[in-house]
């Protein structure tokens, strides 16, 4: 099973780099998003409007979403492996594809980069909406580029390294588990008045499952900084200084490496659903942000994904060899 899941991860990564995340409503990741939103609306109404009741509603959102999504994934995987090992690997590979969003993140970043080069703020905002829940309608170009850099660097953990990590731990089902938690956090995990209680436990769950992946992602990103010949010394300096500044216990790790590598400052007050969320700054304001900064952030994310696949292959293969020797 160790090597089966590794083959499935490789297949899922290839499928993701070819097809990305299709926009159709029937694509499983979009179905999960619709399910989370539907359950949110139902549970908010079903529980009293008190902190304790809304906390419980948030817990039920986690339980119900995981039972449905992970349960279906387990059943399909078991059935396919019962029929054929090859079919089981293919099924697991599809689950890995659903879990990863490397191409989707890269494509959105490229869209912002091209829009910034031509000064097309409308296009930049449109591409940003694909990867962030932040209000983007009133952003100027500098703010849009900084938002892209923050989002791409943060989602290097959420959409790439965290799924790879959990796929290594639990196979394709682990990837689905990870993305379900991430989707719930993206839907209700914001520090706004509306989500303060309902989203408390989904946000906490996301923090927990991303604890190790965030630190692994930062480590791999620092390797990629050296490979791309960016400012590795400043990346390490900003990482040590600012990695814990973020409101999230995890997002600051990759954001600080990225900000230091390209030599800019990110982070500012942001609006979600019209409500202000104050965020600390990360990095040093050495110069104004430029379109090329989005370009390099994209390469940092993609390279980190590649290193993540290699690391997963090394670890899985080593464990497989050890089990044979024992």
């Amino acid at each position: 099973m160790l090597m089966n899941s590794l083959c499935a991860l490789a297949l899922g990564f290839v499928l993701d780099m070819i097809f990305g995340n299709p926009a159709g409503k029937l694509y499983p990741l979009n179905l999960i998003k619709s399910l989370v939103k539907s359950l949110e609306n139902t549970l908010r109404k079903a529980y009293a409007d008190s902190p304790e009741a809304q906390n419980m509603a948030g817990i039920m959102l986690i339980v119900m979403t995981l039972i449905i999504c992970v349960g279906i994934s387990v059943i399909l995987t078991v059935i396919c492996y019962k029929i054929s090992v090859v079919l089981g690997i293919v099924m697991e590979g599809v689950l890995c594809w659903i879990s990863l969003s490397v191409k989707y993140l890269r494509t959105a970043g490229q869209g912002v980069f091209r829009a910034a080069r031509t000064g097309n703020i409308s296009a930049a905002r449109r591409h940003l909406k694909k990867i962030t829940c932040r209000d983007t309608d009133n952003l100027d170009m500098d703010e849009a580029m900084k938002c892209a850099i923050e989002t791409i660097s943060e989602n290097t953990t959420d959409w790439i390294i965290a799924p790879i990590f959990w796929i290594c731990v639990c196979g394709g089902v682990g990837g689905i588990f990870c993305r379900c938690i991430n989707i719930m956090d993206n839907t209700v995990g914001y520090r706004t008045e509306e989500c303060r209680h309902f989203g408390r436990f989904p946000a906490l769950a996301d923090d927990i499952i991303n604890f190790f992946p965030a630190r692994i992602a930062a480590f791999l990103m620092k390797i990629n900084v050296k490979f791309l010949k960016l400012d590795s010394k400043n990346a390490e300096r900003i990482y040590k200084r600012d990695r814990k500044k973020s409101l999230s216990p995890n997002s600051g790790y990759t954001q600080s490496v990225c900000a230091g590598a390209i030599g800019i400052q990110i982070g500012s007050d942001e609006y979600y659903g019209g409500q202000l969320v104050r965020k600390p700054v990360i990095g040093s304001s050495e110069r104004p942000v430029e379109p090329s900064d989005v370009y390099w952030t994209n390469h940092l994310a993609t390279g980190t994904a590649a290193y993540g696949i290699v690391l997963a292959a090394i670890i899985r293969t080593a464990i497989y060899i050890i089990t044979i020797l024992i």
Side-chain angles (χ1 to χ4, degrees), residues 247-261:
L247 296 178
S248 161
N250 300 317
S251 62
Y253 281 74
T254 46
Q255 287 180 339
S256 59
V257 174
C258 181

Side-chain angles (χ1 to χ4, degrees), residues 48-64:
D49 190 16
S50 67
E52 295 78 12
Q54 288 300 301
N55 282 338
M56 180 55 67
I59 293 173
M60 290 305 300
L61 175 67
I62 297 173
V63 172
M64 294 173 70

Side-chain angles (χ1 to χ4, degrees), residues 138-159:
N138 296 318
L139 297 180
D140 61 29
M141 188 58 78
D142 283 356
E143 291 171 335
M145 288 189 289
K146 284 187 177 183
C147 180
I149 292 166
E150 293 170 30
T151 304
I152 294 169
S153 58
E154 178 180 0
N155 284 337
T156 300
T157 296
D158 294 346
W159 294 2

Side-chain angles (χ1 to χ4, degrees), residues 72-285:
I72 291 174
S73 300
V74 169
I75 292 170
L76 290 175
T77 302
V78 170
I79 291 173
C80 288
Y81 270 114
K82 288 287 186 180
I83 296 172
S84 162
V85 172
V86 173
L87 185 60
I89 292 173
V90 171
M91 184 67 247
E92 237 188 313
V94 171
L95 294 179
C96 294
W97 168 32
I98 295 168
S99 305
L100 296 167
S101 295
V102 184
K103 183 177 181 179
Y104 186 80
L105 189 62
R106 179 180 176 83
T107 301
Q110 287 175 332
V112 176
F113 166 65
R114 289 193 296 267
R117 288 185 65 185
T118 59
N120 189 339
I121 185 61
S122 297
R125 292 168 180 166
R126 185 175 67 253
H127 288 292
L128 271 179
K129 285 183 181 295
K130 299 176 182 178
I131 56 175
T132 182
C133 295
R134 176 180 172 181
D135 297 346
T136 61
D137 292 341
N138 296 318
L139 297 180
D140 61 29
M141 188 58 78
D142 283 356
E143 291 171 335
M145 288 189 289
K146 284 187 177 183
C147 180
I149 292 166
E150 293 170 30
T151 304
I152 294 169
S153 58
E154 178 180 0
N155 284 337
T156 300
T157 296
D158 294 346
W159 294 2
I160 301 174
I161 299 302
I164 292 174
F165 175 86
W166 286 102
I167 288 168
C168 279
V169 174
C170 304
V173 173
I176 295 297
F177 161 79
C178 174
R179 284 311 297 270
C180 285
I181 297 292
N182 176 249
I183 288 170
M184 285 184 277
D185 178 55
N186 287 341
T187 304
V188 299
Y190 294 101
R191 300 191 180 202
T192 60
E193 192 60 38
E194 181 184 10
C195 298
R196 184 177 303 278
H197 302 293
F198 186 83
R200 178 184 176 189
F201 284 98
L204 179 60
D206 188 71
D207 291 341
I208 292 171
I209 68 165
N210 282 335
F211 183 84
F212 291 113
R215 286 139 184 86
I216 295 170
F219 169 74
L220 296 174
M221 186 175 284
K222 283 189 280 186
I223 295 175
N224 198 30
V225 168
K226 293 182 179 179
F227 177 79
L228 295 174
K229 300 187 185 305
L230 299 175
D231 194 339
S232 58
K233 289 184 179 180
N234 195 50
E236 184 64 34
R237 181 178 69 86
I238 298 300
Y239 170 78
K240 290 180 178 178
R241 191 191 74 185
D242 294 350
R243 69 185 186 278
K244 296 182 179 180
K245 280 188 176 181
S246 174
L247 296 178
S248 161
N250 300 317
S251 62
Y253 281 74
T254 46
Q255 287 180 339
S256 59
V257 174
C258 181
I262 58 181
I264 65 166
Q265 186 179 80
I266 58 176
S268 61
D269 294 348
E270 300 176 356
Y271 286 89
Y272 294 87
Q275 296 186 47
L276 176 64
V277 177
R278 298 191 179 278
K279 292 188 175 182
V281 296
I282 293 175
S284 300
S285 185

Side-chain angles (χ1 to χ4, degrees), residues 31-45 61 64-65 187 198:
L31 287 175
I32 295 173
K33 293 176 182 177
S34 298
L35 172 65
V36 170
K37 197 65 184 177
S38 177
L39 288 174
E40 177 198 357
N41 294 334
T42 301
L43 290 168
R44 281 187 184 275
K45 296 175 182 177
L61 175 67
M64 294 173 70
T65 301
T187 304
F198 186 83

